[in-house]
Amino acid sequence: MIIEVGTVVGGHRVLRVLASTLLFSRYQLESGWWLIHFKQPPGNSPPDPATWLSLVQRLCRVQHPNLATFVEAFQHDREAFVVMEDPRSSGLRDHCRRVKPDAHHLLHWASQLAEVGSHLQDLGFPVGPALVQWEHLGLRDGQLVVTDPGLTELLWQGQQAMDAATSLHGFGDFLRELSGAELPANLEWIALRCQSTSANGYGDFGELAQAFHQALSLVVDVPETSRSLAKKGLPVLHDFQVPWLARAGGLPWHRLGLLIAVLALMYGGLYAWWTHPLPPRNFSAAVVASGRRLLVVDLKSGVVKRQLELNSPALHTLLAGDRLWVACQGTRRLLSFHSRTLQPGPAPMMDADPSQMVASPDGAWIYLLYPQHARVLLVKLPNNPTAYLDVMPGTHCISPLSDRLLVVTRGDLRLYSLRQRLCLRNQSVSGIVQLTVDQDGACWVAREGRVEQWNDQLHLQQTFDLPAPSQEMMALETGLVSAVPGGLAVLRGARIRNIRLEGSEPHAMRPDPLSRDRVWLLQGETLVCVDLVQERVVQRWPMPNISQTLSILP
């Protein structure tokens, strides 16, 4: 049955019919979104959609650049509906028939599809063979997009039809059909492992995505090159053809000279960019996030000296080794910039949006906490191999030691070995809100209006009362600094000094690279420097529209 134009379904008014099959109908709504109506196939008994609705509603909270955005799922007259954004994509199969893709693009698209499968599995959404079906795959701005992860199969066949092993086997067939001929050696090996039934096969899409990540590190990232050209105002060959060339239906000979000039300009611009990098930074700087930009601020003058463009807003920034690392919202790569030249560097894979990002004391490791998955991602610098440490559910805070990691759960303080990947010690400690480690390896814990010092064996040493609950802590050579409502509390020896700060609550404290007695912090949209000895503010730079992340570059 086709829904008539103008009908309101679930609060959405139908504008026109886009497509109709035996299994579903697709409509465009007045809002510009799509409405998908799932029909009952002939001979099938009506399912109980409660589990299906629960899974699809979980899918509606997923934001991934290679997955169509689903808005809501609901029942109307005992039939299932999904509202999704218009993916604005063209069919991948049609594109591959028009233009034979090269090995770089095959690898990039297959990697993006594997990342989608891995992301869905991490969220508990069942992944089935429908994920690798051609009709569910498209291209948007040269990037692969999954328009349907198998909602129809999930509704009418249930979760038993969503078999990851079958999906992985189908992935190998998809790779061979995508290439249209023999696969390159690196893709052929991945395809064979996808279809292997022995222990040499991939266990899930996470392992498959990691294999593609390793393969991608050995080739040129074509989409990244295109984005770099676009930022510099140079023409980009989207979908392997120039727009005016596609409209003309072929190559007009009198425009051949123009095409050659465009290509020369592209490669000339790339050569100039790679051989003439930005001059090294010769000033101490604060890096703050403002929307999709990182602002590099001179600490002496408060002037924004440089701006780094990002694809999405920054959640965390971290200085580790000689690089500034940036975790951005909704991405699967950890960006890096050289701390002196600010040139972009390696971008290892990561899970979605970490809640915390810290570095080891020697700057050789980065740790990213994912409380929703109860695990910590370990990134080894500088080659960036990754591993996982499984932690307890409810973990909300971590702090590194030399080769161990302190972890705070709902009611425990745990010490993990990073070499053995297991818990060495466990103390029952409730109400912990903050955790930090000083240069001597002592652990400082903020809880219930006081701070406690524990040694590296998790034995309580000392307790000090705070004037207010600590919101953030940092251990310096001159003492322990706690951000509390209304200012800072500084613990030196057995004495606590209070420094009152006017304005918003302080957060994102970082040590001053030029003075061990000063700290930088954020108060709302203001960058502030506080002298802990003089107990006063010595610098205050207004920074409109900045977020709550801060890093200091020496």
Side-chain angles (χ1 to χ4, degrees), residues 132-310:
V132 295
Q133 292 180 3
W134 284 97
E135 58 266 28
H136 297 160
L137 303 175
L139 286 179
R140 179 173 58 201
D141 297 330
Q143 308 297 308
L144 181 134
V145 57
V146 178
T147 59
D148 181 2
L151 301 183
T152 305
E153 291 79 0
L154 181 61
L155 175 64
W156 295 107
Q157 301 177 31
Q159 296 193 51
Q160 64 272 15
M162 311 297 279
D163 180 39
T166 307
S167 303
L168 289 169
H169 189 279
F171 203 103
D173 295 332
F174 165 75
L175 287 177
R176 292 189 172 87
E177 191 173 356
L178 180 65
S179 67
E182 292 186 2
L183 284 169
N186 53 356
L187 285 178
E188 178 64 34
W189 173 246
I190 293 177
L192 289 173
R193 286 195 63 186
C194 283
Q195 297 177 327
S196 173
T197 56
S198 67
N200 293 326
Y202 297 113
D204 55 22
F205 273 91
E207 293 183 13
L208 179 61
Q210 185 63 28
F212 276 114
H213 168 57
Q214 294 173 354
L216 275 170
S217 65
L218 303 177
V219 300
V220 177
D221 191 348
V222 175
E224 278 294 329
T225 304
S226 300
R227 286 197 291 272
S228 301
L229 288 170
K231 290 176 182 177
K232 294 181 173 296
L234 297 176
V236 181
L237 298 180
H238 287 294
D239 290 344
F240 308 96
Q241 31 183 326
V242 182
W244 59 259
L245 183 59
R247 291 195 297 270
L251 177 62
W253 288 105
H254 66 278
R255 292 186 175 177
L256 180 59
L258 177 60
L259 179 59
I260 294 175
V262 168
L263 293 174
L265 181 61
M266 289 169 52
Y267 287 105
L270 278 176
Y271 178 80
W273 183 50
W274 284 109
T275 57
H276 297 82
L278 292 173
R281 176 179 53 83
N282 57 2
F283 55 91
S284 297
V287 178
V288 294
S290 176
R292 297 191 178 190
R293 297 177 300 164
L294 288 180
L295 307 181
V296 183
V297 184
D298 188 339
L299 289 181
K300 292 184 177 180
S301 63
V303 175
V304 177
K305 292 294 188 73
R306 295 179 186 173
Q307 298 185 23
L308 305 177
E309 299 292 334
L310 305 174

Side-chain angles (χ1 to χ4, degrees), residues 17-31:
V17 181
L18 297 177
S20 182
T21 68
L22 288 174
L23 298 178
F24 68 89
S25 293
R26 185 167 62 238
Y27 305 89
Q28 185 170 5
L29 303 175
E30 283 188 344
S31 61

Side-chain angles (χ1 to χ4, degrees), residues 49-81:
T51 302
W52 181 83
L53 282 174
S54 174
L55 289 170
V56 179
Q57 286 167 356
R58 185 186 309 172
L59 182 66
C60 292
R61 296 190 291 270
V62 175
Q63 295 291 328
H64 192 282
N66 302 112
L67 180 65
T69 302
F70 295 87
V71 179
E72 66 172 317
F74 61 90
Q75 278 185 277
H76 180 77
D77 290 340
R78 301 184 65 184
E79 297 191 348
F81 292 85

Side-chain angles (χ1 to χ4, degrees), residues 328-442:
C328 294
Q329 180 179 348
T331 64
R332 297 294 300 276
R333 290 191 182 274
L334 186 63
L335 305 181
S336 71
F337 299 89
H338 194 279
S339 61
R340 300 299 299 178
T341 65
L342 300 177
Q343 290 291 333
M349 296 290 294
M350 67 172 187
D351 291 345
D353 302 357
S355 66
Q356 188 181 1
M357 182 167 71
V358 296
S360 61
D362 58 1
W365 288 86
I366 295 177
Y367 310 121
L368 296 95
L369 172 61
Y370 296 94
Q372 67 273 31
H373 301 150
R375 65 185 182 184
V376 177
L377 175 63
L378 316 177
V379 183
K380 181 73 170 69
L381 306 181
N383 298 324
N384 310 324
T386 59
Y388 286 103
L389 171 67
D390 293 324
V391 294
M392 294 294 293
T395 297
H396 63 84
C397 186
I398 59 175
S399 189
L401 294 167
S402 56
D403 59 349
R404 292 163 294 173
L405 190 69
L406 285 164
V407 173
V408 176
T409 64
R410 293 189 183 95
D412 294 321
L413 178 61
R414 293 174 174 261
L415 182 65
Y416 283 84
S417 168
L418 295 175
R419 296 181 183 274
Q420 301 172 347
R421 308 280 171 78
L422 53 81
C423 182
L424 300 177
R425 291 175 180 81
N426 175 29
Q427 285 288 350
S428 179
V429 185
S430 61
I432 298 178
V433 293
Q434 289 294 330
L435 175 70
T436 191
V437 176
D438 62 23
Q439 61 182 0
D440 297 324

Side-chain angles (χ1 to χ4, degrees), residues 461-478:
Q461 303 295 303
Q462 301 180 78
T463 300
F464 303 91
D465 292 330
L466 284 178
S470 175
Q471 299 171 330
E472 187 173 344
M473 282 196 312
M474 180 175 59
L476 301 175
E477 291 183 19
T478 55

